[in-house]
Amino acid sequence: MAYSVSTALAIYFVLWWVVLFVTLPFGVRSQHEDGEGAPGTDPGAPVMARMGYKLLWTTLISAVVFGIGMWAYHQGYLNIERLSKLMGLPF
């Protein structure tokens, strides 16, 4: 069974969001850590989130992981029989 385009896009979309939540904390400094901050703001709020870089890195990392997954799927490493055997489930 081959992936359809919509299935591949759905998998990439979910993978992209997972990777985004993994990359969000990297490089973030809070106002408390920097010792500066506007009055009335939360001390844990980031000074500079740099979301553009995070979105770019998320897209690149997701593309690499998705490409490796598709390669493994087409080579036969990721199929239901093999995965169920690895998990100890009967197929």
Side-chain angles (χ1 to χ4, degrees):
M1 166 172 53
Y3 279 118
S4 66
V5 173
S6 60
T7 303
L9 287 174
I11 291 170
Y12 182 78
F13 178 75
V14 171
L15 179 66
W16 190 90
W17 277 101
V18 170
V19 173
L20 175 65
F21 287 123
V22 169
T23 59
L24 279 177
F26 289 104
V28 175
R29 294 192 48 85
S30 69
Q31 293 179 11
H32 178 70
E33 291 172 335
D34 273 1
E36 57 185 54
T41 60
D42 185 77
V47 175
M48 188 170 22
R50 300 178 59 158
M51 283 304 295
Y53 288 112
K54 291 182 190 295
L55 296 175
L56 178 65
W57 276 108
T58 298
T59 303
L60 293 173
I61 293 169
S62 298
V64 169
V65 171
F66 182 77
I68 291 169
M70 287 299 289
W71 173 83
Y73 174 75
H74 286 295
Q75 294 298 319
Y77 295 119
L78 293 177
N79 59 30
I80 191 69
E81 294 88 10
R82 177 174 268 195
L83 294 175
S84 63
K85 184 178 175 184
L86 285 173
M87 289 188 264
L89 301 172
F91 181 74

